[in-house]
Amino acid sequence: MKKLFVLLLSLVMVFSMVACGGSNEASETTTEAKDEAVKIGVTIYKFDDNFMSFVRRAIGTAAEGSAELILNDSNNSQATQNDQVDMMISKGVKSLAINLVDPQAAPTIITKAEQAGLPVIFFNKEPEASVLKSYDKAWYVGTASSEAGIIQGEMIAEMWKANPEWDRNGDGVLNYVLMKGEPGHPDAEARTKYAVDVVKEAGIEMNELELQTGMWDSVKGKELMDAWLAKHGDEIEFVICNNDGMALGAIESLKGNGYFGDGTYMPVVGVDAIPDALEQIKSNYMAGTVLNDAKNQGKATFELAYNVAMGKEPLEGTDWELDGNKAVRVPYVAVTIDNIDFAEEAYK
Ligand code: GAL
């Protein structure tokens, strides 16, 4: 009887050890499944960029549950980004999603991707069309850069005509200062050109008091505006900014210099429609902006990068379209106090 009891006990022990082993295996299998999730290598030109932080968030949200992202802050250094690409390739990524630091560096990234046989989705900083065409596994996700400038120009012309008191000296000429984004960036170049061209085409005479780069940055935007106000004071009648980051800096400077009190309104316009800018529009410190749809650009970037990582066609199962330059272009939308809810929704 005792012998039988010992035998039964040992059987129970063996059985529970097997069961334990089984559960270990199960957890290993789960980890393996996680390890097997397709890896996608992503670089952002610098995390410390207001608009790009929303694009990054959207890429992360889109990836949840389907892919493992290796996400890199390139710290505004192309050399750093090149090293990050090498590192991601060695870690076995199946595709690359690259927000270039220097738009001219696309051929370097393409060479690396081609040698590793990897597809690459560039986003936000558009490479030259010929470079994109040189590699059959390269595509772009972004916007049509000129569109933001055109919409901003239309907004400026409409507002100027509707508010004759903004012509402070009553000479019929719109005296403006313009804060440009990063020189050589397709968005900065096109926004600068088209915003001004469109206002002139609307029959408004313009006079450029200042045009300098604020590198998309609000601290630089404030410094520029401080200097321009010291130099030109009330001569300035309009502040045109290539993005909201710089516009926010300009507004801070204007507030500090006594604007927005009685009768000292200064129209400031930007691009992006980031939440902080929408707050300024709601408080009547900012005249308007242009929605740069971070959510959909992030979503499209991930969807294309995921498809090509899985060996599929870039657009498979999506609603995006490619233009003749192998680019998905998410539309811009004008934003003023009248449609602020729409813009708020786009950044949720
Ligand atoms: C632009 C955006 C800017 C800045 C830039 C970075 O599209 O309007 O605010 O984020 O991209 O490349």
Side-chain angles (χ1 to χ4, degrees):
M1 188 66 202
K2 200 177 167 197
K3 266 191 188 163
L4 185 68
F5 177 74
V6 171
L7 184 71
L8 274 175
L9 190 70
S10 357
L11 273 176
V12 168
M13 280 172 72
V14 169
F15 184 76
S16 51
M17 275 167 72
V18 170
C20 273
S23 87
N24 273 346
E25 240 166 53
S27 77
E28 264 169 33
T29 317
T30 320
T31 326
E32 267 167 32
K34 205 173 151 228
D35 285 343
E36 275 167 16
V38 65
K39 284 190 191 132
I40 298 177
V42 185
T43 65
I44 303 287
Y45 90 102
K46 58 171 187 165
F47 278 10
D48 181 20
D49 174 296
N50 218 324
F51 171 74
M52 289 312 298
S53 67
F54 291 99
V55 177
R56 174 158 54 104
R57 187 181 74 177
I59 294 174
T61 307
E64 265 165 31
S66 49
E68 188 189 327
L69 297 182
I70 301 184
L71 202 59
N72 293 273
D73 180 355
S74 301
N75 277 310
N76 213 16
S77 156
Q78 190 58 52
T80 301
Q81 184 166 86
N82 296 345
D83 291 347
Q84 289 168 337
V85 169
D86 291 338
M87 178 274 291
M88 294 189 295
I89 292 173
S90 72
K91 281 193 172 170
V93 297
K94 293 286 182 270
S95 72
L96 296 164
I98 304 294
N99 173 214
L100 291 163
V101 176
D102 175 1
Q104 301 301 321
T108 311
I109 304 293
I110 285 183
T111 304
K112 289 180 188 295
E114 199 164 13
Q115 279 167 359
L118 286 180
V120 52
I121 310 296
F122 292 100
F123 63 105
N124 172 259
K125 286 194 197 180
E126 186 167 4
E128 307 243 343
S130 58
V131 175
L132 217 51
K133 281 189 184 144
S134 71
Y135 183 41
D136 63 341
K137 289 186 189 146
W139 293 271
Y140 176 67
V141 174
T143 60
S145 297
S146 56
E147 202 177 285
I150 293 171
I151 294 175
Q152 198 185 47
E154 287 166 352
M155 186 183 274
I156 296 167
E158 200 177 308
M159 287 174 173
W160 181 255
K161 287 179 179 169
N163 294 282
E165 72 283 5
W166 289 2
D167 183 9
R168 266 187 241 287
N169 58 6
D171 66 352
V173 179
L174 191 160
N175 289 304
Y176 69 94
V177 291
L178 196 150
M179 290 191 193
K180 186 175 173 173
E182 182 192 344
H185 189 310
D187 287 352
E189 298 300 336
R191 290 175 194 175
T192 300
K193 174 178 166 23
Y194 286 95
V196 173
D197 284 1
V198 167
V199 179
K200 289 183 180 163
E201 276 160 24
I204 296 166
E205 201 180 325
M206 293 184 95
N207 175 35
E208 181 184 286
L209 294 171
E210 296 285 348
L211 191 161
Q212 278 185 54
T213 177
M215 296 300 284
W216 306 120
D217 183 73
S218 60
V219 175
K220 293 204 175 71
K222 182 179 178 307
E223 284 166 6
L224 281 179
M225 198 68 222
D226 281 342
W228 294 345
L229 283 172
K231 188 167 160 199
H232 301 284
D234 261 2
E235 257 185 282
I236 303 170
E237 294 169 332
F238 222 114
V239 184
I240 306 172
C241 304
N242 276 180
N243 82 336
D244 287 346
M246 296 184 292
L248 291 172
I251 290 170
E252 210 187 316
S253 160
L254 286 160
K255 285 180 185 168
N257 282 281
Y259 280 81
F260 304 114
D262 295 337
T264 55
Y265 182 75
M266 177 74 83
V268 180
V269 289
V271 174
D272 285 340
I274 52 172
D276 285 349
L278 299 179
E279 286 308 313
Q280 297 299 320
I281 293 178
K282 283 202 264 184
S283 319
N284 204 27
Y285 291 122
M286 190 163 164
T289 186
V290 182
L291 172 68
N292 193 5
D293 189 340
K295 203 197 258 179
N296 275 314
Q297 287 172 54
K299 186 169 181 278
T301 300
F302 175 74
E303 288 176 352
L304 268 71
Y306 181 70
N307 269 343
V308 294
M310 301 301 280
K312 297 182 189 168
E313 287 302 311
L315 300 183
E316 202 173 310
T318 75
D319 293 332
W320 310 112
E321 284 173 13
L322 287 173
D323 71 4
N325 285 339
K326 297 163 75 187
V328 168
R329 301 197 190 271
V330 178
Y332 285 105
V333 184
V335 177
T336 62
I337 192 71
D338 302 329
N339 63 343
I340 200 109
D341 299 350
F342 163 79
E344 279 176 329
E345 202 52 41
Y347 269 88
K348 268 188 189 150

